Amino acid sequence: MSQAHEPEFVLAAQFPTPQRAQWVDLIAGVLRKSGRVPADFDGDAAGKIATKTYDDILVQPLYTRDDAPEAAGMPGLPPFVRGSKPEGAIATGWDVRQRHVFTDPAAAKKAILVDLEHGVTSLWLAVGSAGLPIAALEDVLDEVYVDLAPVVLDPGADFLAAADALLSVHSDKAIPASEVGGNLGADPLGLRARTGSTQDFDGAIQLAVRMSDEYPALRTLVADALPYHQAGGSDAQELGLSIATGVAYLRALTDAGLTVEQAANQLEFRYSATADQFSTIAKFRAARRLWARVLEVSGAPTVPQRQHAVTSPVMMTRHDPWVNMLRTTLACFSAGVGGADAVTVLPFDHAIGLPDDFARRIARNTHAVLLEESKVAGVIDPAGGSYYVERLTDDLAGAGWAFFQSIEAAGGLVAALDSGLVEEKLGETWAKRSKNLARRKDPLTGVSEFPNLNKKLPVREPAPAVPSGGLPQVRLAEAYEELRDLADAQPERPKVFLATLGPIAAHTVRATFAANLFQAGGIETPNAGATATADEVARAFTASGARIACICGSDKLYEQRVPDVVQALRAAGAVKILLAGKGDYADVDGYVHVGCDVLAVLRDTLKTLGVGA
């Protein structure tokens, strides 16, 4: 007896396939409703809200199949865009690599053991002049199963002595050379970028050659892109300079007798992971593609790039540092989705000093939430197939390759560093970013947006001084925090009085905007509340103890009341009167509005009040 076949169910079969033009029409409708375009607009609606990255990559609001580049291949196969392993990180997750910068061996040992007991799978230790004494490595790692939890060193210029000490630890524990993993952390080019001085390049190459035969699973060199990220560089600049670093090491290692495959296996690449989710995902995917191209033309096409992601120190803030937990969570997620092999989450108090137990716990638990609860690693290349991510990956790879070629044309990385070309190019990007930060086009939650004047900074022990003297090291929040520190240090907090006009509904938007703006510089903003007359505003101003006032209200109220209110405030002793919004009022001394240079306003305001003059 035959069975009737059930009709095949096709998802969304009852719905017509939408066309690009229909999506564009919907965008145009939103823009018309918001007043961004006139009611009769029939042009390129999507182009109206497209944005450019710092690499001049145009990001569209809408991506369809037509925008996708050529297929990126399969996971575990060249060019490794979709991951370095066919199985992804499903079985083990990414390597949870915790950083330790303690100089006290006892504190380091205690922290390391606690981390390993709670999910950390490898250690990143600062040793030498900027970290743990090299002689203390044996004691600090005495209770660590270094064959199960590999050690990655950050030794600075002391990489030879640090390498000997770490290998001695493995030898004392009778670990076979074939099972020694981790990375000795030699990076003379990265250190040259940080310090501006020549480092022991030949010593690092000779060490790598020696390690290659005896310790096949141990890496010696790091192509660290963090110095360029910390100098204000863009994603493509970070990519290009990392590839230039890798190529310089590759050439030297093969000249010293290693095969291309052996040389490539001595390298690990280190990149920043930021709170810009899609850019970070695309950067790690693009990095593997670029290095795959280098190895393809060099004769070792099947060696994937080994990647270590570090949540960006540039994005970390000192003020309201708890927001850093959100930033690092997003960065860790993005690096994991992007396919990084190892991820380090910097503690939320990184910009303040040495982390406490709570900060280190939150850092490692960030991985646990993403891996164990959210199952982020449970999908191979979860962003793969997204038209936006695939397009952004392709565009970023192109921009990174172009920057790499410009470095090669200048004679290679060393020549580009010595000539000042690298610093010049990174400085140009930082100047653009600084302008956007000053205008809050790039907002910083807890610093330039929604600051909390009542929050006290955590107290931490100072962290060891890091190598400097070469490329600058910047943070996004530093200009705001400098002004905030000046204001916080005053016996009485500086004030700007908000002269709010009319009922709450008439002034709340501009009063909130102005309060947010001034508080970003540590300036308190008492307000007049709902007022009826100019004299009442003036009395409230006098009672506040402020010397500067900012008028906040609607355009209609400004036309009716600005002259009288200004006159009353002047009579009450206001040395400066600003107005929230744009206009043409001869009696006021300036305006604060969306798009204004907030840092310039804050500096001028504090100077008027005798702070930081």
Side-chain angles (χ1 to χ4, degrees):
M1 184 176 179
S2 63
Q3 284 185 319
H5 290 287
E6 293 290 334
E8 183 179 356
F9 176 73
V10 180
L11 186 66
Q14 304 302 314
F15 299 92
T17 302
Q19 302 300 312
R20 182 184 182 90
Q22 293 173 278
W23 288 112
V24 172
D25 284 344
L26 291 174
I27 294 173
V30 173
L31 294 179
R32 292 189 193 100
K33 188 175 294 186
S34 65
R36 294 280 297 275
V37 298
D40 59 350
F41 177 81
D42 62 354
D44 178 17
K48 286 289 184 180
I49 51 176
T51 58
K52 273 193 175 182
T53 71
Y54 289 106
D55 293 308
D56 286 331
I57 295 172
L58 193 64
V59 177
Q60 299 285 354
L62 173 66
Y63 286 85
T64 66
R65 187 185 303 273
D66 295 337
D67 298 298
E70 293 183 10
M74 298 295 290
L77 295 176
F80 304 107
V81 172
R82 303 202 62 194
S84 59
K85 297 180 291 186
E87 71 277 15
I90 290 177
T92 60
W94 55 78
D95 177 10
V96 178
R97 185 175 294 175
Q98 190 89 318
R99 179 166 172 78
H100 291 269
V101 295
F102 293 100
T103 57
D104 176 34
K109 185 173 185 176
K110 178 183 176 182
I112 285 170
L113 293 177
V114 170
D115 282 345
L116 291 173
E117 289 171 1
H118 293 88
V120 167
T121 56
S122 70
L123 304 171
W124 183 21
L125 306 182
V127 297
S129 59
L132 193 69
I134 293 173
L137 266 179
E138 182 179 3
D139 178 59
V140 169
L141 297 175
D142 178 54
E143 299 179 50
V144 175
Y145 294 96
V146 291
D147 52 337
L148 302 179
V151 176
V152 175
L153 297 178
D154 183 2
D158 302 318
F159 58 84
L160 290 174
D164 288 340
L166 182 60
L167 293 175
S168 178
V169 170
H170 286 80
S171 177
D172 291 345
K173 293 176 180 289
I175 297 172
S178 60
E179 296 181 18
V180 176
N183 195 312
L184 300 179
D187 183 23
L189 293 181
L191 196 58
R192 184 173 188 148
R194 289 193 185 278
T195 64
S197 59
T198 302
Q199 304 296 319
D200 185 7
F201 187 89
D202 291 339
I205 298 303
Q206 292 167 11
L207 177 65
V209 172
R210 179 162 60 93
M211 294 298 106
S212 179
D213 289 333
E214 190 173 353
Y215 299 94
L218 175 67
R219 296 176 188 256
T220 305
L221 296 166
V222 176
D224 191 357
L226 290 185
Y228 312 111
H229 171 69
Q230 289 183 270
S234 67
D235 291 327
Q237 289 169 335
E238 190 180 342
L239 286 173
L241 289 164
S242 74
I243 299 302
T245 304
V247 166
Y249 289 147
L250 199 65
R251 287 174 176 150
L253 290 168
T254 52
D255 287 346
L258 296 186
T259 66
V260 175
E261 183 173 351
Q262 287 174 321
N265 283 326
Q266 285 296 303
L267 295 175
E268 181 174 66
F269 288 75
R270 184 173 294 143
Y271 295 104
S272 69
T274 73
D276 189 333
Q277 174 180 319
F278 290 105
S279 291
T280 296
I281 293 171
K283 179 168 66 179
F284 282 89
R285 300 172 93 246
R288 291 192 296 272
R289 174 178 170 182
L290 294 182
W291 188 239
R293 176 57 179 159
V294 168
L295 295 186
E296 179 185 13
V297 299
S298 301
T302 59
V303 181
Q305 184 187 60
R306 174 77 181 178
Q307 295 180 329
H308 175 201
V310 181
T311 57
S312 166
V314 175
M315 71 180 179
M316 304 295 269
T317 66
R318 287 191 299 107
H319 284 274
D320 210 348
W322 297 273
V323 181
N324 291 329
M325 297 181 194
L326 303 179
R327 297 184 178 102
T328 54
T329 298
L330 188 52
C332 182
F333 168 86
S334 304
V337 170
D341 299 287
V343 182
T344 295
V345 172
L346 296 179
F348 73 87
D349 51 4
H350 173 79
I352 300 174
L354 290 175
D356 66 359
D357 294 344
F358 175 70
R360 289 199 332 276
R361 188 181 110 197
I362 292 296
R364 62 179 181 258
N365 283 356
T366 300
H367 299 274
V369 169
L370 293 171
L371 287 170
E372 304 300 330
E373 298 185 24
S374 302
K375 304 296 182 184
V376 170
V379 177
I380 301 172
D381 187 27
S386 159
Y387 301 137
Y388 172 38
V389 171
E390 299 291 7
R391 180 76 267 165
L392 185 58
T393 299
D394 192 67
D395 289 343
L396 195 50
W401 188 259
F403 194 77
F404 160 66
Q405 289 180 310
S406 73
I407 298 299
E408 289 291 285
L413 181 58
V414 172
L417 284 169
D418 291 347
S419 69
L421 175 65
V422 172
E423 185 170 2
E424 176 189 345
K425 294 300 182 183
L426 300 180
E428 290 173 358
T429 302
W430 178 242
K432 294 176 185 176
R433 195 186 299 272
S434 295
K435 185 176 180 180
N436 287 336
L437 289 166
R439 285 164 170 74
R440 297 196 296 186
K441 186 175 180 181
D442 290 353
L444 302 172
T445 303
V447 178
S448 67
E449 298 279 3
F450 313 113
N452 189 335
L453 299 188
N454 298 319
K455 286 283 186 181
K456 299 294 183 182
L457 287 179
V459 177
R460 298 288 186 267
E461 293 182 37
V466 296
S468 60
L471 295 174
Q473 296 184 27
V474 301
R475 284 188 306 109
L476 301 180
E478 60 188 359
Y480 285 97
E481 291 181 337
E482 179 184 347
L483 298 178
R484 175 71 181 269
D485 290 343
L486 284 172
D488 289 352
Q490 302 308 303
E492 183 178 352
R493 184 171 293 283
K495 298 176 183 178
V496 168
F497 177 78
L498 303 185
T500 48
L501 306 184
I504 291 176
H507 64 244
T508 185
V509 172
R510 280 176 169 160
T512 301
F513 169 84
N516 196 23
L517 182 151
F518 289 112
Q519 288 170 18
I523 300 170
E524 191 177 337
T525 53
N527 66 77
T531 60
T533 67
D535 288 341
E536 288 175 335
V537 172
R539 283 197 292 271
F541 170 78
T542 301
S544 73
R547 297 168 54 212
I548 296 176
C550 180
I551 301 173
C552 304
S554 65
D555 289 342
K556 183 177 181 180
L557 284 172
Y558 286 167
E559 293 173 4
Q560 298 171 352
R561 301 187 55 187
V562 163
D564 290 344
V565 172
V566 169
Q567 183 178 0
L569 287 170
R570 298 280 191 210
V575 298
K576 189 169 191 175
I577 299 175
L578 304 171
L579 185 137
K582 296 181 180 180
D584 185 18
Y585 300 95
D587 294 333
V588 300
D589 301 310
Y591 301 88
V592 293
H593 53 82
V594 174
C596 72
D597 189 329
V598 174
L599 286 171
V601 171
L602 292 174
R603 290 189 185 104
D604 186 64
T605 300
L606 290 172
K607 184 176 180 180
T608 300
L609 296 174
V611 178

